[in-house]
Amino acid sequence: MTSQFTRRQWAAQFAALPLLAQQPQTLPATVVEDTDQARARTKLLSAELAAFSIPMHTEPAFQFKA
Amino acid sequence: MAKSPGNDVFFMPLTELNQRLHSKEFSAVELTKAYCDRLEKLGPAYNALAHSLRKSALSHAKDVDREIKRGRLRGPLQGVPCGVKDLLDVAVAPCTWGAKPFATQKPDEDATVIKKLKNAGAILTGKLSMVELAGGGGYRYAAASLQGPGLNPWDKSRWSGGSSSGPGSAVAAGLVGFAIGSETWGSILTPSAFCGVTGLRPTYGYVSRNGAMALSWTMDKIGPMARSAADCGHILQAISGGDVDDPGSAGKSFFYGPQYQKPISEMRFGFAPSDLDRVADEESRKVFASALEVLRSLGAKMVETELPDFPYNAVASTIIGAEGSSVFEPLIADGRIDQLADQRQIAGLKAGLEIPAKDYLKAMRIRSLVQQSLAKLFSDVDVLISPSRFSVASGLNEPLDRSSLTSLKTHQRGLRDLGAAGNLAGLPALSLPCGFAGGLPLGMQLVSRPWTENSILLIGTEFQNRTDWHKRKPAID
């Protein structure tokens, strides 16, 4: 299975693993736990985006049209 | 001599309902009364009804009867009772957005879509329930709604899907002739698949969002949920069109004309065999495999394909998280956010305010590349085909976020992220009922390039000419 990963996917996985390891594997029970987990998810997404390299000239999809 | 409509009207395609109205088999008032009775009786049993519009519906139905008598015909929606997701403004009717902080909200004006439905002669019988704030913060339980969890007409211990849960249940149970839902990421396709109805997510910009709750300005779409692909085509024609009051409007109108499309035999269907590996149980795998065979039998060339390599889910989550939290910032600031039913959703919306600008911008930049790459992919195939959802409807008390806590990506990409990719690129998608597993419906999605709804509607109609999954009815209490 793992051999099907691209280099990019590997990079994203490695960047995300330490953060993923911090995530509890059971459902949070309190508001504080939920808040912590929501923040951890934001960091996880951030790490995944950071690991994805794009050309410097890429403009954001503002004024988005399909 | 008109007679009262029988129970068969509750599952008729809208063209047939309309034809029977024109032949005076029953009047619009009689049909509307029958549908209102059913919606008010069964709607609460599925937590599908947010607010009945009986009085205004009967008044409008009288007008429609007068018009039909005078020979003023407005098309296939004329006289057909329908419901809309409770995030569309209907003048002076409650519009709760499925959320306690907005339980008493009453807009002054109709949303553009409502005006268009009325102009087409459709009879609005009710506002249909939804997941609170369309679930933008990420919710854990089906109960994340002011009206309670959407109950699936095929099995009330299962969820009807979100966030257009009421439209899904109401169409499946024959409580409305058709419904209008909305999708930012999966909110039309998921309840359509879970409830066994046909749902169309139009190209971004085809249908005005003026008067609709905003969740993500760059990703929100409004579309039909109905009994067939053909019904969806007629409805989209009625509700599409440019609108200066929606900055995302493309200024285009849709005309339903599947007969003018390239023949299916000249089309190329892209699919990924590895998608079936993601389906957990054997029965569902067989259903999807059979549906693929039916699609293959339509004569198109089947091409193995996969999505380009992008972090689709991270991009979509970041964009919706940042835009949604900005939309609801006043609610977060004054503390009303804590009135929401779902603790995870509250935390998610609050955390969304902490998404750094660099992440939102990076996501929007990657989105540009996603759009370009998918445009290239569509130079090789006409349509992408994949399961709408990889499993049947979840149990009512099942945590919806459990799988995301534990799963690492261990499968080939295939088309598994087609939901996120299609929404990021604003592509149209059609979910077709394609079979049952354990007595619960499954759906297959067809996705095509922007503005080519007629192609997927043509394929959907041919698929539904060869199958009867869309005609199956749940046993109604």
Side-chain angles (χ1 to χ4, degrees):
Chain A
M1 277 300 175
T2 48
S3 62
Q4 291 154 355
F5 268 35
T6 62
R7 285 170 66 187
R8 223 175 235 176
Q9 284 169 321
W10 271 116
Q13 290 295 341
F14 277 123
L17 273 173
L19 289 163
L20 198 70
Q22 292 166 23
Q23 295 225 55
Q25 296 301 300
T26 53
L27 294 171
T30 67
V31 177
V32 175
E33 284 171 350
D34 250 321
T35 305
D36 288 347
Q37 203 174 89
R39 286 191 172 131
R41 271 198 307 277
T42 302
K43 283 183 186 164
L44 199 67
L45 295 174
S46 185
E48 197 172 345
L49 293 175
F52 192 85
S53 58
I54 59 175
M56 284 179 72
H57 60 76
T58 308
E59 288 194 22
F62 291 142
Q63 303 299 319
F64 176 71
K65 297 285 178 201
Chain B
M1 182 71 168
K3 60 181 181 185
S4 292
N7 276 346
D8 55 335
V9 297
F10 299 123
F11 292 92
M12 263 177 204
L14 61 88
T15 43
E16 194 174 338
L17 278 177
N18 181 255
Q19 185 261 319
R20 290 192 187 205
L21 281 164
H22 289 171
S23 64
K24 314 268 192 309
E25 201 170 306
F26 40 75
S27 68
V29 167
E30 287 164 331
L31 185 66
T32 300
K33 187 172 180 312
Y35 263 104
C36 283
D37 289 348
R38 188 173 170 90
L39 180 61
E40 287 174 358
K41 182 184 169 199
L42 295 174
Y46 297 107
N47 293 334
L49 180 61
H51 183 70
S52 172
L53 298 169
R54 174 187 284 268
K55 197 175 165 193
S56 57
L58 287 171
S59 166
H60 188 198
K62 276 183 197 165
D63 295 340
V64 168
D65 278 333
R66 276 194 288 271
E67 284 187 339
I68 292 175
K69 200 173 173 185
R70 288 202 307 264
R72 184 170 183 204
L73 306 183
R74 291 174 181 263
L77 272 60
Q78 189 177 26
V80 177
C82 67
V84 297
K85 187 174 180 177
D86 198 25
L87 52 57
L88 287 166
D89 288 353
V90 175
V92 300
C95 190
T96 71
W97 299 351
K100 195 175 175 189
F102 299 98
T104 56
Q105 177 174 246
K106 280 189 184 176
D108 295 327
E109 269 191 57
D110 285 344
T112 298
V113 166
I114 302 298
K115 288 177 186 164
K116 284 178 173 284
L117 285 172
K118 287 181 175 172
N119 196 41
I123 312 286
L124 190 55
T125 55
K127 306 286 296 291
L128 303 174
S129 58
M130 58 182 281
V131 171
E132 55 188 3
L133 307 182
Y139 48 105
R140 179 167 298 124
Y141 293 111
S145 171
L146 183 63
Q147 286 82 27
L151 308 187
N152 195 312
W154 293 93
D155 177 349
K156 284 168 79 173
S157 72
R158 302 285 182 143
W159 186 36
S160 56
S163 64
S164 307
S165 43
S169 294
V171 173
L175 313 184
V176 290
F178 67 90
I180 303 296
S182 74
E183 171 153 335
T184 304
W185 181 6
S187 289
I188 288 176
L189 263 57
T190 298
S192 295
F194 282 0
C195 294
V197 306
T198 307
L200 175 63
R201 178 187 80 215
T203 305
Y204 177 86
Y206 239 154
V207 181
S208 168
R209 290 97 39 94
N210 174 48
M213 185 201 88
L215 168 59
S216 169
W217 307 287
T218 66
M219 289 182 71
D220 293 339
K221 282 90 53 187
I222 292 169
M225 295 165 72
R227 312 216 178 289
S228 69
D231 280 8
C232 287
H234 290 299
I235 299 160
L236 181 59
Q237 177 165 320
I239 64 174
S240 70
D243 185 0
V244 290
D245 292 325
D246 176 1
S249 173
K252 289 175 188 268
S253 293
F254 171 76
F255 295 96
Y256 180 45
Q259 67 274 31
Y260 305 119
Q261 297 310 296
K262 177 159 84 172
I264 294 177
S265 58
E266 293 174 19
M267 290 187 189
R268 291 163 66 86
F269 292 173
F271 76 109
S274 65
D275 283 357
L276 293 186
D277 299 337
R278 289 204 76 210
V279 180
D281 67 290
E282 187 58 30
E283 192 181 0
S284 302
R285 252 197 305 277
K286 280 183 183 164
V287 166
F288 289 125
S290 300
L292 272 177
E293 282 312 304
V294 175
L295 288 163
R296 190 190 299 273
S297 75
L298 301 181
K301 186 171 170 54
M302 302 293 282
V303 183
E304 285 191 27
T305 190
E306 65 174 3
L307 287 174
D309 181 21
F310 287 104
Y312 298 101
N313 294 322
V315 172
S317 297
T318 302
I319 292 169
I320 295 170
E323 294 186 10
S325 292
S326 177
V327 169
F328 297 116
E329 188 180 359
L331 203 65
I332 299 166
D334 66 18
R336 282 181 298 153
I337 196 82
D338 294 321
Q339 294 174 20
L340 294 184
D342 195 276
Q343 193 174 292
R344 184 177 192 263
Q345 165 117 286
I346 296 168
L349 284 166
K350 287 178 180 173
L353 284 182
E354 296 170 18
I355 293 173
K358 74 174 177 63
D359 287 351
Y360 179 69
L361 288 167
K362 180 78 177 275
M364 288 297 263
R365 293 172 73 203
I366 296 173
R367 186 179 187 180
S368 296
L369 300 175
V370 167
Q371 211 175 353
Q372 289 164 22
S373 294
L374 289 179
K376 258 187 217 161
L377 182 63
F378 278 112
S379 64
D380 189 41
V381 297
D382 294 285
V383 174
L384 295 171
I385 298 168
S386 182
S388 303
R389 299 288 303 189
F390 287 92
S391 61
V392 294
S394 47
L396 284 182
N397 298 319
E398 215 172 296
L400 302 169
D401 57 334
R402 188 178 286 281
S403 59
S404 66
L405 285 177
T406 53
S407 68
L408 269 176
K409 296 169 187 168
T410 54
H411 288 78
Q412 279 182 292
R413 179 171 291 286
L415 297 174
R416 69 168 183 223
D417 293 330
L418 189 55
N423 275 294
L424 284 169
L427 306 179
L430 180 69
S431 181
L432 300 166
C434 69
F436 290 81
L440 290 163
L442 288 160
M444 192 67 116
Q445 63 172 317
L446 312 177
V447 177
S448 60
R449 56 176 73 87
W451 322 117
T452 60
E453 277 79 351
N454 272 315
S455 291
I456 49 178
L457 290 169
L458 169 67
I459 299 162
T461 299
E462 286 303 316
F463 180 86
Q464 292 183 332
N465 285 340
R466 295 181 187 216
T467 59
D468 69 351
W469 306 116
H470 62 298
K471 292 181 181 167
R472 304 283 179 100
K473 302 172 204 169
I476 304 296
D477 294 344

